[in-house]
């Protein structure tokens, strides 16, 4: 089916179609544009984060229940976001705490397994506890793995992996000559999940902002001008449909016709 006719299909048909064509194993989203969404409405930036959480809830529910996606990563807070005003940071931390607290029952019910990528230690104690509880209480779920990138930075993640490997070399557990890509991949926060097939970034910015730099070596990228609070399931479905039309070559050449 041609791309144009594909995009003209209604959403239910499209969902069926993209499922038949084979869903990406892992979709990762840079949820950007909350602040601009609020500014456009003369609202404080915090109102944008509030609206953004609702979008995240909708997307998680849709991805797990309607779509049957297996892995979803959401970039919630970066290692660079500490540079924002304390009031905004505190608001986001409280929002995340509330989000996890309120959603935990639904995650358990819906088979969502929560994992977290990032360094939890600078987070407020209550949020750290919330995160630990969510990870523990959903550990046996397997329908959808929800990876929350929280105080996440890809460079920090790679530095951490280097330290972990260096310690294993120092203790004699690992031979430095045998360090390979797998050694590194398995020392990242994402060790248990496949690399993202598709990264979506909202709000029109065309950069990765320190997101999954190792894992994204061959990830397909999708940029949309839509601000995160306005992003919906239909746009996710269309992004996946466009992704499925792409040819992933991994450096090889197309097979002879
Ligand atoms: C994304 O929205 C949320 C976080 C980074 C926590 P922003 O807050 O970055 O919104 P803009 O980019 O300023 O519009
Ligand atoms: C990336 O967005 C981080 C998250 C979405 C959590 P930013 O808004 O922090 O990125 P920059 O500053 O525009 O690169
Ligand atoms: Mg931003």
């Amino acid at each position: 089916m041609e791309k144009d006719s594909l995009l003209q299909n209604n959403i239910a048909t499209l969902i069926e179609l993209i499922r038949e064509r084979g869903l990406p194993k892992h979709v990762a989203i840079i949820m950007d544009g909350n602040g601009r969404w609020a500014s456009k409405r003369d609202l404080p930036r915090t109102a944008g984060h509030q609206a953004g959480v609702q979008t995240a809830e909708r997307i998680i529910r849709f991805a797990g229940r309607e779509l049957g996606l297996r892995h979803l990563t959401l970039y919630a807070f970066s290692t660079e976001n500490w540079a924002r005003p304390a009031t905004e940071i505190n608001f986001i931390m409280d929002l995340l705490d509330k989000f996890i607290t309120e959603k935990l029952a639904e995650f358990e019910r819906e088979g969502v397994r929560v994992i977290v990528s990032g360094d939890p230690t600078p987070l407020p104690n209550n949020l750290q506890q919330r995160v630990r509880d969510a990870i523990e209480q959903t550990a046996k779920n397997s329908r959808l793995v929800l990876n929350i990138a929280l105080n996440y930075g890809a460079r920090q993640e790679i530095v951490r992996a280097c330290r972990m490997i260096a310690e294993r070399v120092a203790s004699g557990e690992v031979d430095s000559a045998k360090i390979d890509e797998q050694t590194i991949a398995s020392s990242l926060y994402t060790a248990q999940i496949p690399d993202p097939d598709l990264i979506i970034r909202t709000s029109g910015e065309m950069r990765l902002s320190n997101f999954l730099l190792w894992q994204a070596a061959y990830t397909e990228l999708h940029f949309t001008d839509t601000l995160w609070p306005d992003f919906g399931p239909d746009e996710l479905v269309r992004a996946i449909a466009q992704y499925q039309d792409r040819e992933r070559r991994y450096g090889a050449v197309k097979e002879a016709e």
Side-chain angles (χ1 to χ4, degrees):
M1 188 174 277
E2 290 305 311
K3 194 158 128 192
D4 284 350
S5 53
L6 217 162
L7 291 176
Q8 277 159 16
N9 274 280
N10 68 38
I11 189 83
T13 319
L14 253 187
I15 292 173
E16 225 174 283
L17 216 70
I18 62 168
R19 294 186 56 150
E20 273 169 26
R21 294 171 89 190
L23 290 174
K25 288 194 193 74
H26 179 186
V27 175
I29 307 181
I30 303 174
M31 310 184 286
D32 197 15
N34 293 348
R36 277 163 283 169
W37 182 91
S39 300
K40 271 173 61 181
R41 289 165 177 73
D42 286 325
L43 295 169
R45 292 178 56 83
T46 49
H49 296 310
Q50 189 90 57
V53 166
Q54 286 169 14
T55 301
E57 291 176 3
R58 236 180 1 256
I59 290 295
I60 295 164
R61 200 174 307 130
F62 175 78
R65 199 189 283 174
E66 320 284 334
L67 210 53
L69 194 71
R70 304 307 301 268
H71 305 89
L72 174 68
T73 294
L74 297 179
Y75 202 3
F77 194 85
S78 77
T79 48
E80 287 73 36
N81 287 148
W82 297 105
R84 297 187 179 203
T87 48
E88 181 173 345
I89 295 172
N90 293 339
F91 187 89
I92 292 172
M93 295 299 153
D94 285 348
L95 209 54
L96 288 167
D97 191 317
K98 231 172 98 214
F99 166 76
I100 296 173
T101 310
E102 284 173 5
K103 286 284 139 188
L104 194 50
E106 181 182 319
F107 291 161
E108 291 193 67
R109 201 173 56 240
E110 299 276 331
V112 176
R113 177 178 176 200
V114 177
I115 63 171
V116 171
S117 290
D119 174 13
T121 52
L123 302 175
N125 286 333
N126 56 331
L127 181 54
Q128 287 189 41
Q129 187 58 48
R130 215 62 78 212
V131 163
R132 276 197 296 271
D133 290 348
I135 294 171
E136 203 181 292
Q137 288 181 39
T138 63
K140 292 204 169 65
N141 289 349
S142 58
R143 189 170 174 186
L144 169 71
V145 176
L146 172 64
N147 176 31
I148 306 173
L150 176 52
N151 188 28
Y152 174 83
R155 289 185 169 181
Q156 181 271 339
E157 178 183 42
I158 293 167
V159 168
R160 171 179 169 273
C162 290
R163 288 209 186 113
M164 284 161 61
I165 296 165
E167 278 166 23
R168 291 171 64 203
V169 170
S171 73
E173 187 197 333
V174 168
D175 175 355
S176 67
K178 297 219 167 79
I179 294 173
D180 58 13
E181 292 186 8
Q182 191 45 41
T183 320
I184 295 171
S186 65
S187 306
L188 301 175
Y189 293 118
T190 51
Q192 319 159 56
I193 59 176
D195 286 342
D197 298 298
L198 174 64
I199 289 180
I200 297 170
R201 183 173 189 149
T202 56
S203 89
E205 308 296 354
M206 297 200 202
R207 54 177 170 264
L208 287 174
S209 301
N210 204 9
F211 190 49
L212 302 176
L213 297 183
W214 172 279
Q215 298 88 335
Y218 269 101
T219 299
E220 297 294 329
L221 307 178
H222 180 98
F223 297 102
T224 168
D225 286 337
T226 304
L227 302 172
W228 176 247
D230 294 327
F231 189 84
D234 54 334
E235 207 175 340
L236 174 62
V237 167
R238 282 168 216 284
I240 293 175
Q242 287 174 25
Y243 153 86
Q244 289 173 329
D245 280 339
R246 298 188 191 174
E247 191 196 348
R248 302 178 77 183
R249 286 188 292 273
Y250 300 97
V253 289
K254 204 177 164 186
E255 267 175 54
E257 321 228 36

